Amino acid sequence: MVTVSSGVGNKVFRRGEVLLPEDGRGGEIGHLRVDFAADAPWCDCGERGHLGAVASGRGALRAASVLARRFPGSFARSALSAACGGDPERLSAQQVAAGVRSHDAFAVRAVTPGVRHLARTLAVLHTALGVGRFIVMGGFARAAGPPYLRLLGTEMSKAGGFLLPPDGAAGLLRPGAPDDDDGLIGCLRRLERSESRRDAVPQPVFPVADGP
Ligand SMILES: [Zn+2]
């Protein structure tokens, strides 16, 4: 599971069990440093250049604002400019996501560097652990929709990985629940699993055949 919202997070599941040691390490790809520039964006944890700072909804908004100031002409012709009345200061992450969903070239250009960092991180998970399915959820990913997942898949394919599907890494990606209720669904399945544990039959939190 990968969450792309105001931050970036993850959990890895194997046969219904989350891979998380008792000390809680794991699931924190959002705090992996990916941008080593001296002026890399600040993460909300207080460090610079973390994945959560560049690939989250807030990171996408920051990237779009920087790009708008650098290329005002391109910005003026974009759907983002129309959405915020031409003022980059009034731009929102939701508007950037909507721009990606509608294939606005400026919005896609703005989010691509952050998506690339996320894609490389997911490619490492796939290559190192054999993670075979990535459920991509969170408000920003959901709002940006299928074009966002395709972009993520394209960038994952470029990053490479052992035994990627014939159709590229996009085949590994699935959207979360349309209503973004993934957390509630996960809680319910966890409870169901606890109830059935007496039978000692493993119950996947996210059944492979049925999606999230
Ligand atoms: Zn951080």
Side-chain angles (χ1 to χ4, degrees):
M1 293 163 39
V2 182
T3 302
V4 183
S5 54
S6 55
V8 172
N10 80 291
K11 285 290 182 291
V12 180
F13 289 84
R14 181 175 184 271
R15 295 177 181 168
E17 290 291 342
V18 63
L19 300 183
L20 199 62
E22 289 182 359
D23 63 8
R25 281 181 289 179
E28 298 291 351
I29 59 171
H31 299 289
L32 181 68
R33 191 172 186 188
V34 295
D35 184 346
F36 292 83
D39 61 347
W42 289 103
C43 182
D44 51 15
C45 74
E47 300 287 338
R48 280 187 185 272
H50 288 184
L51 184 65
V54 301
S56 63
R58 282 190 289 185
L61 173 59
R62 188 183 299 110
S65 298
V66 169
L67 208 60
R69 286 192 289 273
R70 191 176 300 165
F71 302 102
S74 299
F75 177 67
R77 293 188 294 274
S78 73
L80 299 193
S81 177
C84 69
D87 182 2
E89 299 297 322
R90 294 174 54 198
L91 199 57
S92 69
Q94 289 82 1
Q95 290 166 344
V96 177
V100 173
R101 180 182 275 272
S102 64
H103 304 281
D104 178 72
F106 189 91
V108 172
R109 182 181 173 192
V111 305
T112 294
V115 169
R116 186 170 295 142
H117 284 302
L118 176 60
R120 289 173 177 170
T121 305
L122 299 187
V124 169
L125 285 173
H126 171 75
T127 307
L129 298 176
V131 173
R133 172 167 292 179
F134 296 86
I135 311 290
V136 184
M137 61 185 72
F140 186 82
R142 180 170 52 90
Y148 177 83
L149 274 195
R150 281 196 290 274
L151 178 62
L152 184 59
T154 299
E155 293 298 328
M156 273 185 77
S157 296
K158 289 180 188 173
F162 188 61
L163 289 179
L164 279 176
D167 58 345
L172 304 176
L173 306 177
R174 296 285 186 279
D179 51 8
D180 210 23
D181 281 346
D182 307 270
L184 291 171
I185 294 169
C187 286
L188 175 61
R189 296 205 175 152
R190 194 69 188 171
L191 285 170
E192 291 173 343
R193 176 173 165 72
S194 298
E195 288 293 315
S196 64
R197 192 164 273 170
R198 280 166 297 187
D199 304 328
V201 177
Q203 298 292 318
V205 175
F206 293 95
V208 171
D210 299 325

PDB file of all heavy atoms in Angstrom, residues 42-55:
ATOM      1  N   TRP A  42      11.672  21.249   2.351  1.00  0.00           N
ATOM      2  CA  TRP A  42      11.605  20.735   3.718  1.00  0.00           C
ATOM      3  C   TRP A  42      10.507  19.697   3.842  1.00  0.00           C
ATOM      4  O   TRP A  42       9.406  19.868   3.327  1.00  0.00           O
ATOM      5  CB  TRP A  42      11.307  21.876   4.705  1.00  0.00           C
ATOM      6  CG  TRP A  42      12.456  22.821   4.897  1.00  0.00           C
ATOM      7  CD1 TRP A  42      12.576  24.073   4.359  1.00  0.00           C
ATOM      8  CD2 TRP A  42      13.634  22.605   5.679  1.00  0.00           C
ATOM      9  NE1 TRP A  42      13.770  24.642   4.759  1.00  0.00           N
ATOM     10  CE2 TRP A  42      14.431  23.767   5.570  1.00  0.00           C
ATOM     11  CE3 TRP A  42      14.098  21.539   6.460  1.00  0.00           C
ATOM     12  CZ2 TRP A  42      15.663  23.890   6.207  1.00  0.00           C
ATOM     13  CZ3 TRP A  42      15.330  21.668   7.096  1.00  0.00           C
ATOM     14  CH2 TRP A  42      16.099  22.833   6.970  1.00  0.00           C
ATOM     15  N   CYS A  43      10.811  18.627   4.543  1.00  0.00           N
ATOM     16  CA  CYS A  43       9.801  17.634   4.897  1.00  0.00           C
ATOM     17  C   CYS A  43       9.158  18.084   6.219  1.00  0.00           C
ATOM     18  O   CYS A  43       9.772  18.827   6.993  1.00  0.00           O
ATOM     19  CB  CYS A  43      10.466  16.268   5.070  1.00  0.00           C
ATOM     20  SG  CYS A  43       9.321  14.930   5.454  1.00  0.00           S
ATOM     21  N   ASP A  44       7.959  17.633   6.472  1.00  0.00           N
ATOM     22  CA  ASP A  44       7.320  18.049   7.729  1.00  0.00           C
ATOM     23  C   ASP A  44       7.958  17.409   8.950  1.00  0.00           C
ATOM     24  O   ASP A  44       7.595  17.718  10.081  1.00  0.00           O
ATOM     25  CB  ASP A  44       5.805  17.808   7.701  1.00  0.00           C
ATOM     26  CG  ASP A  44       5.447  16.401   7.275  1.00  0.00           C
ATOM     27  OD1 ASP A  44       6.359  15.552   7.280  1.00  0.00           O
ATOM     28  OD2 ASP A  44       4.270  16.153   6.949  1.00  0.00           O
ATOM     29  N   CYS A  45       8.917  16.492   8.745  1.00  0.00           N
ATOM     30  CA  CYS A  45       9.653  15.923   9.883  1.00  0.00           C
ATOM     31  C   CYS A  45      10.819  16.812  10.282  1.00  0.00           C
ATOM     32  O   CYS A  45      11.473  16.550  11.290  1.00  0.00           O
ATOM     33  CB  CYS A  45      10.157  14.522   9.543  1.00  0.00           C
ATOM     34  SG  CYS A  45      11.559  14.504   8.406  1.00  0.00           S
ATOM     35  N   GLY A  46      11.094  17.840   9.468  1.00  0.00           N
ATOM     36  CA  GLY A  46      12.172  18.757   9.808  1.00  0.00           C
ATOM     37  C   GLY A  46      13.440  18.561   9.002  1.00  0.00           C
ATOM     38  O   GLY A  46      14.405  19.316   9.183  1.00  0.00           O
ATOM     39  N   GLU A  47      13.473  17.550   8.134  1.00  0.00           N
ATOM     40  CA  GLU A  47      14.649  17.324   7.288  1.00  0.00           C
ATOM     41  C   GLU A  47      14.329  17.778   5.861  1.00  0.00           C
ATOM     42  O   GLU A  47      13.168  17.963   5.493  1.00  0.00           O
ATOM     43  CB  GLU A  47      15.009  15.830   7.286  1.00  0.00           C
ATOM     44  CG  GLU A  47      15.334  15.254   8.650  1.00  0.00           C
ATOM     45  CD  GLU A  47      16.680  15.700   9.176  1.00  0.00           C
ATOM     46  OE1 GLU A  47      17.536  16.102   8.353  1.00  0.00           O
ATOM     47  OE2 GLU A  47      16.885  15.641  10.401  1.00  0.00           O
ATOM     48  N   ARG A  48      15.363  17.906   5.052  1.00  0.00           N
ATOM     49  CA  ARG A  48      15.185  18.337   3.666  1.00  0.00           C
ATOM     50  C   ARG A  48      15.205  17.155   2.702  1.00  0.00           C
ATOM     51  O   ARG A  48      15.893  16.169   2.940  1.00  0.00           O
ATOM     52  CB  ARG A  48      16.324  19.281   3.249  1.00  0.00           C
ATOM     53  CG  ARG A  48      16.196  20.719   3.716  1.00  0.00           C
ATOM     54  CD  ARG A  48      17.301  21.549   3.069  1.00  0.00           C
ATOM     55  NE  ARG A  48      17.349  22.929   3.535  1.00  0.00           N
ATOM     56  CZ  ARG A  48      16.649  23.918   2.983  1.00  0.00           C
ATOM     57  NH1 ARG A  48      15.867  23.664   1.959  1.00  0.00           N
ATOM     58  NH2 ARG A  48      16.751  25.144   3.448  1.00  0.00           N
ATOM     59  N   GLY A  49      14.468  17.319   1.601  1.00  0.00           N
ATOM     60  CA  GLY A  49      14.619  16.429   0.458  1.00  0.00           C
ATOM     61  C   GLY A  49      14.029  15.047   0.603  1.00  0.00           C
ATOM     62  O   GLY A  49      14.357  14.152  -0.174  1.00  0.00           O
ATOM     63  N   HIS A  50      13.162  14.859   1.588  1.00  0.00           N
ATOM     64  CA  HIS A  50      12.551  13.535   1.750  1.00  0.00           C
ATOM     65  C   HIS A  50      11.490  13.309   0.670  1.00  0.00           C
ATOM     66  O   HIS A  50      10.911  14.255   0.134  1.00  0.00           O
ATOM     67  CB  HIS A  50      11.924  13.392   3.134  1.00  0.00           C
ATOM     68  CG  HIS A  50      12.951  13.275   4.225  1.00  0.00           C
ATOM     69  ND1 HIS A  50      12.620  13.051   5.540  1.00  0.00           N
ATOM     70  CD2 HIS A  50      14.305  13.324   4.168  1.00  0.00           C
ATOM     71  CE1 HIS A  50      13.736  12.972   6.269  1.00  0.00           C
ATOM     72  NE2 HIS A  50      14.772  13.143   5.461  1.00  0.00           N
ATOM     73  N   LEU A  51      11.241  12.027   0.401  1.00  0.00           N
ATOM     74  CA  LEU A  51      10.255  11.669  -0.620  1.00  0.00           C
ATOM     75  C   LEU A  51       8.910  12.340  -0.340  1.00  0.00           C
ATOM     76  O   LEU A  51       8.234  12.815  -1.257  1.00  0.00           O
ATOM     77  CB  LEU A  51      10.094  10.145  -0.677  1.00  0.00           C
ATOM     78  CG  LEU A  51       9.169   9.613  -1.773  1.00  0.00           C
ATOM     79  CD1 LEU A  51       9.726   9.919  -3.158  1.00  0.00           C
ATOM     80  CD2 LEU A  51       8.964   8.103  -1.606  1.00  0.00           C
ATOM     81  N   GLY A  52       8.526  12.377   0.922  1.00  0.00           N
ATOM     82  CA  GLY A  52       7.258  12.996   1.285  1.00  0.00           C
ATOM     83  C   GLY A  52       7.207  14.485   0.987  1.00  0.00           C
ATOM     84  O   GLY A  52       6.124  15.061   0.852  1.00  0.00           O
ATOM     85  N   ALA A  53       8.380  15.113   0.898  1.00  0.00           N
ATOM     86  CA  ALA A  53       8.419  16.543   0.614  1.00  0.00           C
ATOM     87  C   ALA A  53       8.329  16.835  -0.882  1.00  0.00           C
ATOM     88  O   ALA A  53       7.909  17.921  -1.270  1.00  0.00           O
ATOM     89  CB  ALA A  53       9.701  17.160   1.178  1.00  0.00           C
ATOM     90  N   VAL A  54       8.716  15.873  -1.697  1.00  0.00           N
ATOM     91  CA  VAL A  54       8.763  16.130  -3.146  1.00  0.00           C
ATOM     92  C   VAL A  54       7.680  15.377  -3.927  1.00  0.00           C
ATOM     93  O   VAL A  54       7.310  15.808  -5.019  1.00  0.00           O
ATOM     94  CB  VAL A  54      10.154  15.792  -3.745  1.00  0.00           C
ATOM     95  CG1 VAL A  54      11.241  16.624  -3.082  1.00  0.00           C
ATOM     96  CG2 VAL A  54      10.483  14.316  -3.610  1.00  0.00           C
ATOM     97  N   ALA A  55       7.154  14.273  -3.382  1.00  0.00           N
ATOM     98  CA  ALA A  55       6.208  13.453  -4.150  1.00  0.00           C
ATOM     99  C   ALA A  55       4.785  13.487  -3.591  1.00  0.00           C
ATOM    100  O   ALA A  55       3.893  12.870  -4.157  1.00  0.00           O
ATOM    101  CB  ALA A  55       6.696  12.007  -4.204  1.00  0.00           C
TER     102      ALA A  55
END
